[in-house]
Structures are given as structure tokens and as C-alpha cells.
Amino acid sequence: MDYENFFGEEINKLKAEGNYRVFAELERHAGYFPDASRHIDNKKNEVTVWCSNDYLGMGQHPDVLKTMKNTIDQVGAGSGGTRNISGTSHQHVMLERELANLHSKEAALLFTSGYVANDAALSTLASQMPNSVLLSDEYNHASMIAGVRNSRAEKRIFKHNNVNHLEELLRKIEPERPKIIVFESIYSMDGDIAPIAKICDLAEKYNAMTYIDEVHAVGMYGPRGGGVAERDGQMDRITIIQGTLAKAFGVVGGYIAASEKIIDFIRSKASGFIFTTSLPPAIAAAAMASVCHVRDEGKTKREKHQERVAKLKNLLEQAGLPIMPSVSHIVPIMVGDPIICKQVTDDLLDRYGIYVQPINYPTVPKGTERLRLTPSPIHTDEDMNHLVKALVEIWGRLALQWAA
């Protein structure tokens, strides 16, 4: 086999389909988010970022930066190894306590990313409980799909946010079998929200565990930023809450929060935890500073964020752009073609200094390619007006479909 030729042909196919990913080389500037510098062809120009998952700008917060710098000076750069050998630091333990507190759970467990948290926790739970069944929403994130697949347990997929279909599936499972309902609170490409209370009702009725991914909601919703489950008063009904430190908290890492026994079980059996070098202590300390700030002082940020989201949606609707329905802070705009979607984002970047990544297959189904905007509390009215004006001009120039 000609290996190099094979790989080259596969890349060419992606390019022809419009699904080849091109990464913009950006340089963020502390204290100036959402502005950044773009490096291209040995030149540098300024852009405004409209697709960051650093939803509240906490990656730039002075307390977070100061804590990270001070911790490096105190304990050094690396963690020293895996948690079970030499890599459990005081900062890891303190952060886990704060995360458990955030979600009103007995304990929490850190992972190197949200992806690893989902993969490790789900695969461990379902593989270790004999004869278990995973019931997974069809729109779940790739990390959850990986965890379900890697567990090698039986899986049943229910239609997106469809509690009637979920109950049909639950009804057909023998009552004594272990069952885990796996779903997200906010689905990040459409911006819709799961019917958490109704899912919890079914879990109680059919004696199933619930596993919720709150990565796009922690820090953003609820009185203390505990997520949509906290906002809806359902946090105590969820068996396992999974979250990230890389979005609203602005750092990196993932975690789960649950009962002490469940956390200890996964800590003791999950390969993705046991055999992975732990997060650097400075990362854990910075994340803890962010979690505490967002929890205790973040109400104003959350309110400002919701105001900015509502304003942008209103401006886009008034302009006649095909904004997709969304009840969350995710603002998707339908394009429907991968090549055109890339052309739109290239135009935004090259002509207007606006950075938005195209969302194409396999992140979303073919034919639903879109822009995904994530306004922050820091985006100004001027930023929004510039964005909407640019989109209107591009839509007209490319003769794209306007809102119905």
C-alpha cells in the first residue's frame, strides 16, 4: 500500500467536500478579549473573536492570571505524574472540593479535559456494572458517544430531547438491569436545552441513573453558576454531573461530581484517570480561582451575558438573517452548504476582521452547515453592529437564503 498517497487522497476528498478544517492562527491579548491578533503570511492583523467558548472572558480575568502565575512560582510547572503515583497536589484536592460545592454533591473528580471525563466515566460505569444499558440522546457530544462505545455495553439511542421515545425504550428494558440515561443540558450546535425534570421523572420511575453533560452551562446558568440543572432546581435529582473548566471558567480540564461512592468507584477503576498525568497545579489553582469568582461574584456577569445574547439575536432577526431558534446563549445562523459556509467565514475574516469558524460535517449533519456565534459580556454594541453589517453584506453578495 502507498501510505502517503492514501492519506493525501483522503485529505483531497475533505477539501473537495468543503469539510477540510483550516485553523486560524490567533494570538490573544490578556485584558483585551474579544480582540486578538491573526498571524498569516508573516503578517499580523487585528480581529474580533465571535466563536470563543471562553463565554465570560474568565481566561483573561486578573484574579485567574495572578493565581496561575503565583502558583507556578510556588510549586513549579508540572504535576509530577499521575494522581496515583506522584501527581496529586493540594491544588487538585482543593479544586475538587469547590466543584463538589458548586454542584451540591458529596465529591468531584478532575480529569485532563471534558472529553476525557465523559469517555472515562461512561465507559467505566457501563463496563463495570453487569448487564447494564446506556440510553443516549442522538445528539450527544462525540466524547459521550466515545464513552458509550468504549464501554461495550448495550446502548439504545433515543430521539433528541424526546421523553416519549425515551420512555418507550425504558419500558422495554428488564426492571432489574442497571440503566444510565446520558444527555446534555445545552446542545452546543443548536443551542436547545434538555427537558431535565421530565428525564429525571423517567429515571425515578424506571430506576435509572442520570448522567448530564453541563459543559456549555456551568458558570452560565443558575444562582451560583451550577448549570441548567441548578437553574431548574433539578441538581439534586441528577446522579452524575459532568462539566468543564475550559469554557465559562476560561482555563482547561474536565470533571464529574456525584456521590462519594460513585466518585471513589470511578477514581479507582477508570483508566482514563488512573494512567494520565494530572493537570499542572497552576492550572488547577487558576481554575479554582475562576470557579470561586463565577460562583460567588458572577451574577452580574451572567446577567450581562444574557443581555448581550438577547441583543445580538434581536439585531440578527431584524436584519433578516436566518438565525436558528435557540433558547440559550448559543446563536447559530443557518447556511446549509459546507463550501459556502467556509466562504462566508473567510470573507468575515479577510474583509471585516471578524473571526468565526465554519461548523461543518461531521460536527453537524450534512446540509445543516452553519455559523455559531457566542457573544460574551465583553462584546460591545459597536462589535455587534459591525458583525451584523458584515453578515448582511456577505449574504447579499453571495445571494444566500434569508430568513423565511
Side-chain angles (χ1 to χ4, degrees), residues 10 13 18 37 83 89 103 121 180 196 204 214 248 298 302 333 361 380 390:
E10 290 299 306
K13 287 178 186 177
S37 296
R83 289 280 295 273
S89 70
H103 294 291
I180 310 173
I196 299 175
E204 292 170 2
E214 286 257 42
R302 285 188 283 278
I333 301 176
Y361 178 84
T380 65

Side-chain angles (χ1 to χ4, degrees), residues 11-22 334-348 350 356-361 364-371 394-395 398 400:
I11 292 298
N12 289 336
K13 287 178 186 177
L14 288 174
K15 291 180 177 178
E17 294 167 353
N19 293 322
Y20 180 72
R21 298 173 189 263
V22 178
M334 179 58 68
V335 177
D337 179 274
I339 295 174
I340 294 177
C341 195
K342 179 68 167 56
Q343 188 175 352
V344 170
T345 58
D346 284 348
D347 270 7
L348 284 171
D350 295 335
V356 180
Q357 273 291 84
I359 306 296
N360 291 345
Y361 178 84
V364 295
K366 290 181 178 180
T368 68
E369 292 79 9
R370 67 198 67 174
L371 310 182
I394 292 171
W395 245 251
L398 298 180
L400 302 181

Side-chain angles (χ1 to χ4, degrees), residues 103-360:
H103 294 291
S104 299
K105 297 295 185 185
E106 293 177 351
L109 189 67
L110 279 173
F111 294 85
T112 51
S113 73
Y115 190 108
V116 174
N118 273 336
D119 188 2
L122 286 170
S123 62
T124 301
L125 285 167
S127 65
Q128 295 292 319
M129 289 193 297
N131 203 27
S132 62
V133 184
L134 289 154
L135 298 106
S136 180
D137 188 289
E138 67 176 331
Y139 282 8
N140 276 342
H141 189 265
S143 59
M144 305 174 85
I145 294 171
V148 170
R149 182 186 300 118
N150 291 336
S151 75
R152 299 185 181 179
E154 182 180 343
K155 69 172 185 276
R156 303 193 185 180
I157 310 300
F158 62 93
K159 296 175 184 176
H160 178 54
N161 280 348
N162 190 322
V163 290
N164 293 328
H165 187 222
L166 174 58
E167 182 163 24
E168 285 180 26
L169 297 176
L170 284 164
R171 195 181 296 123
K172 295 175 183 177
I173 301 171
E174 297 87 338
E176 68 277 2
R177 295 185 67 182
K179 297 170 284 291
I180 310 173
I181 302 172
V182 183
F183 63 107
E184 300 181 42
S185 60
I186 296 178
Y187 289 84
S188 64
M189 292 301 126
D190 293 327
D192 55 342
I193 293 178
I196 299 175
K198 292 180 179 179
I199 291 174
C200 288
D201 289 343
L202 290 178
E204 292 170 2
K205 181 177 179 180
Y206 292 94
N207 190 29
M209 296 173 64
T210 47
Y211 183 104
I212 189 171
D213 178 312
E214 286 257 42
V215 297
H216 292 278
V218 289
M220 311 285 290
Y221 298 86
R224 303 192 313 153
V228 177
E230 183 192 32
R231 183 198 71 178
D232 294 352
Q234 303 298 310
M235 207 158 53
D236 62 316
R237 304 178 72 194
I238 302 291
T239 313
I240 301 173
I241 297 173
Q242 183 266 349
T244 184
L245 303 166
K247 294 181 171 59
F249 297 128
V251 191
V252 69
Y255 65 89
I256 57 171
S259 71
E260 189 172 340
K261 288 181 180 177
I262 289 175
I263 293 299
D264 201 17
F265 177 86
I266 294 173
R267 181 191 69 86
S268 301
K269 290 181 175 287
S271 294
F273 173 80
I274 295 170
F275 299 107
T276 300
T277 298
S278 60
L279 291 170
I283 295 292
M288 180 174 148
S290 182
V291 169
C292 292
H293 177 86
V294 170
R295 183 192 63 203
D296 299 334
E297 304 175 44
K299 184 174 182 287
T300 301
K301 273 190 173 65
R302 285 188 283 278
E303 290 173 349
K304 178 66 173 178
H305 184 261
Q306 290 298 320
E307 181 273 327
R308 296 283 81 190
V309 170
K311 173 145 193 175
L312 179 62
K313 288 179 178 178
N314 185 51
L315 289 173
L316 293 168
E317 288 171 355
Q318 288 181 353
L321 290 157
I323 179 174
M324 298 170 63
S326 165
V327 294
S328 72
H329 60 282
I330 308 296
V331 185
I333 301 176
M334 179 58 68
V335 177
D337 179 274
I339 295 174
I340 294 177
C341 195
K342 179 68 167 56
Q343 188 175 352
V344 170
T345 58
D346 284 348
D347 270 7
L348 284 171
L349 191 57
D350 295 335
R351 296 182 185 224
Y352 301 94
I354 294 171
Y355 173 59
V356 180
Q357 273 291 84
I359 306 296
N360 291 345

Side-chain angles (χ1 to χ4, degrees), residues 15 84-85 203 273 287 383:
K15 291 180 177 178
N84 65 308
I85 294 178
F273 173 80
D383 292 332

